[in-house]
Amino acid sequence: MTEPNHINAGRRGLLIAGALSATAVAVPGVAGAAEAANTATAASQAGQAPPVLMKVSLDINGQRHGLELDTRTSLLDALREQLHLTGTKKGCDHGQCGACTVMLDGQRINSCLTLAVMHDGAKVTTIEGLGTPEKLHPMQAAFIAHDGFQCGYCTPGQICSAVAALGEIRQGIPSHVSADLNARPQVTPEELRERMSGNICRCGAYSNIIEAITEVAGRPA
């Protein structure tokens, strides 16, 4: 038969864990600290080394941020959980949907597939850095004008990817559908569909997205 003291100890532990979980949900800062403490405790009890922390400096939307992160933290989680830039979405977390697309030193990247500590000193542009409600980026305005979104979950990644895709075309970078690799790519529906193929819209607003990008590129939609 289980000793009463053991039962009470187990009950106390359960109540403490529940209280910590409730507090973590209510207070984001406490949530991060509680999670780190729980991870370190679990690792210690399992005989594993605690998380390795590293300082990293990132230029996010023109503002320098100094962070101390678990070396396993993805750029996506650093943006969302540490800097509270939740415009960048976590979709599949496997690099397959493009919802987490941001621009890193001018190049688009799936932020869920790269570690934040790999990019010390880098410049990152998220959807929050492209424009504001008072002063929209042309691509944001075009998505609104052409109904380039429905639920809106994939839209931040779509817009960041679209801005970067037009930048690739301006730089003369060919895609898999470019007929002549030595000629400057043209803004055609085929080119845009290929370049945007890594960004999934489960609502199916693809034709409107192409129209929005085409308008920003300076061609009639």
Side-chain angles (χ1 to χ4, degrees):
M1 181 178 295
T2 304
E3 294 293 334
N5 287 341
H6 291 174
I7 295 175
N8 290 336
R11 184 171 179 271
R12 283 197 299 273
L14 180 61
L15 291 173
I16 291 171
L20 285 174
S21 299
T23 305
V25 171
V27 185
V30 174
E35 182 179 357
N38 291 337
T39 301
T41 301
S44 176
Q45 292 174 347
Q48 301 173 353
V52 177
L53 301 180
M54 182 178 291
K55 292 183 178 180
V56 59
S57 177
L58 296 170
D59 184 325
I60 311 292
N61 301 327
Q63 183 177 353
R64 182 64 60 177
H65 294 272
L67 302 171
E68 187 172 28
L69 302 171
D70 184 328
T71 53
R72 299 166 296 181
T73 302
S74 69
L75 178 59
L76 172 61
D77 285 339
L79 292 171
R80 289 182 56 84
E81 305 300 332
Q82 302 295 324
L83 299 174
H84 307 294
L85 294 172
T86 54
T88 304
K89 302 304 182 186
K90 178 176 285 194
C92 65
D93 211 24
H94 287 78
Q96 298 174 344
C97 72
C100 67
T101 303
V102 299
M103 287 177 280
L104 179 74
D105 290 332
Q107 303 288 326
R108 53 182 167 159
I109 187 172
N110 289 330
S111 59
C112 73
L113 291 184
T114 189
L115 299 176
V117 296
M118 295 171 60
H119 305 291
D120 186 38
K123 293 183 178 180
V124 180
T125 302
T126 70
I127 189 66
E128 291 91 346
L130 285 180
T132 65
E134 296 75 25
K135 188 176 181 180
L136 294 173
H137 184 280
M139 191 67 73
Q140 293 171 316
F143 265 65
I144 294 173
H146 290 274
D147 291 329
F149 58 92
Q150 290 184 36
C151 78
Y153 194 84
C154 74
T155 306
Q158 295 275 2
I159 291 176
C160 286
S161 190
V163 171
L166 290 185
E168 293 165 5
I169 293 175
R170 286 193 295 269
Q171 296 173 51
I173 300 173
S175 76
H176 288 295
V177 300
S178 299
D180 185 351
L181 299 183
N182 295 314
R184 180 170 293 278
Q186 300 299 308
V187 182
T188 64
E190 292 74 24
E191 279 284 353
L192 295 179
R193 282 196 292 266
E194 169 61 26
R195 293 173 190 270
M196 295 295 294
S197 60
N199 291 81
I200 296 174
C201 173
R202 290 178 173 85
C203 297
Y206 295 114
S207 61
N208 296 358
I209 290 171
I210 296 300
E211 290 177 359
I213 301 172
T214 302
E215 178 184 291
V216 175
R219 294 166 55 94

